[in-house]
Amino acid sequence: MLIEANPYKVFAGSQGGALAKRICEYLGCEQGKVNIEHFSDGEFAVAFEETVRGISVYLVQSTCPSTDNLMELLLMIDAARRASAYKVIAVIPYFGWARQDRKDKPRVSIGAKLCATMIQAAGADRVITLDLHADQIQGFFDIPVDHLFASNVFAEYIASLGLKDLVVASPDEGGTKRSLKLCKNLQKKLKEEVPMVICYKQRLKANMVSEIRVLGDIEGKDVVLCDDICDTAGTLCKAAAIIKQNGAKSVRAVISHGVLSGPAIERIENSVLEELIITDSIEFDQSRCSKIKVLNTEAIFGKVITAIQTHTSISESL
């Protein structure tokens, strides 16, 4: 029996407009209209400019910069719920506060859990997100979470470069699972083995690394660093420099979320990196840096939305 797709609309917040537009083009639908009015004291109000009664509402919004865009998402969820939407699905390409996923020292908050609680309390029925900093964040929600991965998008681009002697490098022990997934996708596309090495790093404090060592053979190799977030780019550029010093032929990096705060752009421009490849989970103007390449992800989100609407398997659709 053929199941008809439920009616739905896609809306965007301030940090999701460009991606939402491409998702709608992929799906062949019009983007919904929402008005976000800002006041002089810093507050803002959200109002949907068309009916959402009885339909599934997809709200595209990354929470970076974190605070305002998170609050904007919460207000959109609340507005959709109060306007009698059938389902409210938060599409969060970049889930901010994700690095605060545990108590790593006494008397600290777990920001990722708090964000999950607020999103649920606002009325979200489901969350779609890309490359969470830690897989366990899915367990902070009591609603369905579709955790998507950009590794296939990265693998297609890296494979198209025609590089020889490829090696994938994990920037730390925690990133080995992500790097291994990229290795497997590259092996499928290139039909050859792609080894992985690990960078062991010691931090003085957040965004400051004291030492990095490379565990594995990179002599004469084309190395691809794989990570989920690039913030100030200090660790990334330092790792790239050490990899180059250890005899690598070239160094590239694939990063799911280009936060790129503070001195990041200048550091990347002056680094030994051939290029930094990021996704469009956070909007970025490529003209700001000659070494940064942005890959689009609308097909990933479009396929998942289609699967949800038609009640088919998400894993089989990707």
Side-chain angles (χ1 to χ4, degrees):
M1 177 181 176
L2 180 64
I3 301 175
E4 292 185 5
N6 295 323
Y8 68 94
K9 290 182 181 179
V10 178
F11 297 86
S14 299
Q15 188 50 253
L19 178 55
K21 181 180 178 181
R22 289 191 293 272
I23 290 173
C24 289
E25 289 172 354
Y26 178 88
L27 294 170
C29 66
E30 289 189 9
Q31 185 175 327
K33 296 177 182 178
V34 60
N35 180 51
I36 302 170
E37 183 179 3
H38 290 258
F39 305 106
S40 61
D41 65 351
E43 288 188 14
F44 40 86
V46 170
F48 292 99
E49 298 187 330
E50 54 192 88
T51 182
V52 296
R53 182 180 297 275
I55 67 171
S56 294
V57 174
Y58 291 84
L59 306 173
V60 183
Q61 173 82 323
S62 284
T63 54
C64 178
S66 306
T67 310
D68 281 359
N69 287 306
L70 174 60
M71 189 63 191
E72 195 176 284
L73 174 62
L74 297 175
L75 289 173
M76 286 195 295
I77 294 170
D78 184 66
R81 177 62 64 205
R82 293 178 186 278
S84 301
Y86 171 61
K87 295 287 184 182
V88 182
I89 300 96
V91 182
I92 313 174
Y94 171 66
F95 186 86
W97 309 91
R99 286 171 282 185
Q100 298 181 40
D101 61 323
R102 65 195 184 281
K103 284 190 69 173
D104 54 356
K105 55 185 178 182
R107 299 174 297 281
V108 297
S109 64
I110 303 178
K113 168 59 177 171
L114 178 60
C115 289
T117 301
M118 288 192 292
I119 289 167
Q120 284 185 204
D125 296 292
R126 190 183 197 104
V127 169
I128 304 172
T129 190
L130 180 73
D131 278 332
L132 284 169
H133 181 66
D135 288 345
Q136 69 262 24
I137 292 173
Q138 297 172 80
F140 294 167
F141 291 90
D142 294 320
I143 55 177
V145 176
D146 300 305
H147 185 199
L148 313 180
F149 302 95
S151 56
N152 195 48
V153 175
F154 288 137
E156 285 184 8
Y157 179 76
I158 294 297
S160 72
L161 298 176
L163 300 171
K164 304 297 181 183
D165 299 318
L166 264 177
V167 171
V168 173
S170 173
D172 52 35
E173 308 94 296
T176 53
K177 184 178 179 181
R178 186 178 299 106
S179 299
L180 187 60
K181 193 172 185 67
L182 178 61
C183 282
K184 290 179 178 179
N185 279 326
L186 282 169
Q187 285 167 182
K188 287 179 184 178
K189 295 184 183 303
L190 298 173
K191 309 299 182 183
E192 61 184 48
E193 184 179 353
V194 178
M196 183 182 77
V197 300
I198 300 173
C199 298
Y200 172 74
K201 65 185 180 184
Q202 292 181 322
R203 288 190 182 273
L204 292 174
K205 58 182 181 179
N207 291 329
M208 187 176 294
V209 174
S210 61
E211 182 184 14
I212 297 178
R213 295 181 183 178
V214 181
L215 308 178
D217 179 26
I218 55 173
E219 182 76 32
K221 306 291 186 180
D222 293 305
V223 178
V224 178
L225 274 161
C226 177
D227 208 353
D228 63 322
I229 298 171
C230 178
D231 191 350
T232 61
T235 302
L236 180 66
C237 293
K238 189 170 185 176
I242 290 171
I243 287 171
K244 193 75 171 176
Q245 290 167 14
N246 278 265
K249 184 171 27 173
S250 68
V251 187
R252 285 172 172 78
V254 293
I255 305 290
S256 302
H257 311 295
V259 176
L260 304 174
S261 65
I265 302 298
E266 183 181 357
R267 283 175 173 171
I268 292 163
E269 197 70 76
N270 297 326
S271 72
V272 300
L273 286 168
E274 297 288 329
E275 60 182 339
L276 169 64
I277 304 125
I278 62 176
T279 74
D280 57 355
S281 65
I282 300 171
E283 293 179 17
F284 179 78
D285 181 1
Q286 291 188 80
S287 65
R288 292 177 59 199
C289 183
S290 63
K291 290 188 176 182
I292 294 180
K293 169 76 174 178
V294 180
L295 302 182
N296 292 342
T297 58
E298 67 271 8
I300 300 175
F301 291 104
K303 288 175 182 177
V304 171
I305 291 172
T306 300
I308 292 171
Q309 289 303 121
T310 56
H311 310 290
T312 55
S313 170
I314 290 175
S315 58
E316 291 179 7
S317 67
L318 294 173

